[in-house]
Amino acid sequence: MVTKALILGAGYGTRLQRDLASDPTHHHLLGVPKALLPLGGRDCLITHWLDDLTANGFSKENDIYVVTNQASVGAFQDWAQRHQVPLDHILNDGTTSNETRLGAVPDIQFGLDAILPSSTSVLVIGGDTLFLKEFDLAQFLAQKQPGQCLVTTYTVDDAVVPKVGIVETDATGVIQSFLEKPSPDQTPSRLACPCFYLLDPTARPLIRAFLDASRGLGLEHYDATGKALAYLYPRIPLATFPISGRIDVGGLQSYIDANAYFASTD
């Protein structure tokens, strides 16, 4: 299976930037994209993914791409140079502010357009997310079957359900339903599905079809990556791979917690 990796780093992290502005002890991080925050002994959050990807056969020179924006492209290019990732693998979506952002799914499509040939599977990774240390990328990749996509799930409690995308699966673990931030009484499932999607080549035109169907609608219809999953699952099998949990950098406290966790387990 030929696979490339696409890390999403085009968001503007407005909540984190507000938190940083109000905390003088972290002013040195103002303006730093979440994906490039120093974290747990690495220079940047996404360097954790870079190390894991290269340890599992992904080539820095050929297989790893990052989508970012005009405001942050220079910082991502600096990261790429430090880690021998080609500068033309840092993909600039051209936006300059949170108000003009393309949205998460258009940024996935922007990356897919750059990753050729179209017969390539693509692992889409949220640039503000890491998994707990038990995660085994090799096992995840080995579970991928031709003609289906593969995503991760982890169990959350009732209080978290309204904050995340929840999937319902059949007995074999194939997704039968996707709900974006439901109330706990809307579903018996407690399986959250983070942005870590191994897209089969047959899914790539479906992402485009989803965006075509969303044309003219508001950003809320295609900004969350789960919106694309909701479109995909009736059209292509989406298998699931259980993980123990994830750490998502949203605001300052979650960054502090993530930094402490990875510093203690690195």
Side-chain angles (χ1 to χ4, degrees):
M1 177 181 65
V2 178
T3 305
K4 309 289 186 181
L6 176 65
I7 300 172
L8 303 181
Y12 287 86
T14 52
R15 176 157 59 100
L16 176 62
Q17 292 303 312
R18 286 195 300 269
D19 289 352
L20 294 173
S22 65
D23 186 329
T25 64
H26 289 87
H27 278 182
H28 61 289
L29 297 176
L30 279 168
V32 178
K34 288 193 287 186
L36 296 183
L37 290 168
L39 195 147
R42 305 295 204 283
D43 63 330
C44 298
L45 185 159
I46 60 170
T47 305
H48 288 267
W49 284 123
L50 181 69
D51 291 347
D52 206 2
L53 290 165
T54 54
N56 283 278
F58 287 74
S59 161
K60 292 181 181 181
E61 294 77 14
N62 300 310
D63 299 334
I64 298 170
Y65 295 76
V66 180
V67 175
T68 183
N69 53 56
Q70 178 63 35
S72 300
V73 65
F76 278 95
Q77 289 173 338
D78 289 344
W79 172 84
Q81 288 183 311
R82 290 198 304 273
H83 294 283
Q84 296 79 53
V85 174
L87 290 182
D88 61 359
H89 286 202
I90 305 301
L91 310 173
N92 178 5
D93 73 4
T95 68
T96 57
S97 69
N98 189 58
E99 292 69 31
T100 61
R101 70 190 187 278
L102 295 185
V105 183
D107 273 321
I108 291 174
Q109 184 61 56
F110 185 75
L112 293 177
D113 288 342
I115 297 175
L116 299 173
S118 59
S119 57
T120 304
S121 294
V122 178
L123 176 58
V124 178
I125 303 172
D128 59 358
T129 297
L130 291 169
F131 292 160
L132 301 186
K133 62 180 180 178
E134 296 86 358
F135 176 67
D136 189 319
L137 180 58
Q139 289 184 5
F140 173 82
L141 295 171
Q143 188 168 311
K144 169 73 171 69
Q145 298 297 317
Q148 67 174 206
C149 300
L150 182 62
V151 303
T152 54
T153 60
Y154 64 100
T155 302
V156 298
D157 59 30
D158 286 5
V160 177
V161 170
K163 302 176 183 179
V164 296
I166 297 291
V167 297
E168 298 173 336
T169 66
D170 64 16
T172 67
V174 174
I175 292 176
Q176 301 298 302
S177 177
F178 179 91
L179 300 95
E180 183 67 36
K181 300 181 178 179
S183 63
D185 59 0
Q186 284 182 271
T187 174
S189 176
R190 297 296 180 263
L191 294 178
C193 184
C195 181
F196 193 85
Y197 312 146
L198 182 46
L199 298 178
D200 190 78
T202 56
R204 294 177 59 157
L206 294 175
I207 299 291
R208 171 68 71 186
F210 165 73
L211 290 173
D212 288 344
S214 302
R215 188 171 294 137
L217 302 177
L219 187 64
E220 68 274 11
H221 291 276
Y222 49 81
D223 194 20
T225 57
K227 300 288 189 179
L229 286 194
Y231 184 86
L232 288 177
Y233 82 80
R235 297 169 173 84
I236 185 173
L238 302 183
T240 56
F241 180 89
I243 61 173
S244 57
R246 69 160 176 172
I247 292 180
D248 175 63
V249 176
L252 177 56
Q253 188 57 54
S254 61
Y255 167 65
I256 292 170
D257 293 344
N259 200 28
Y261 174 82
F262 284 99
S264 66
T265 59
D266 199 42

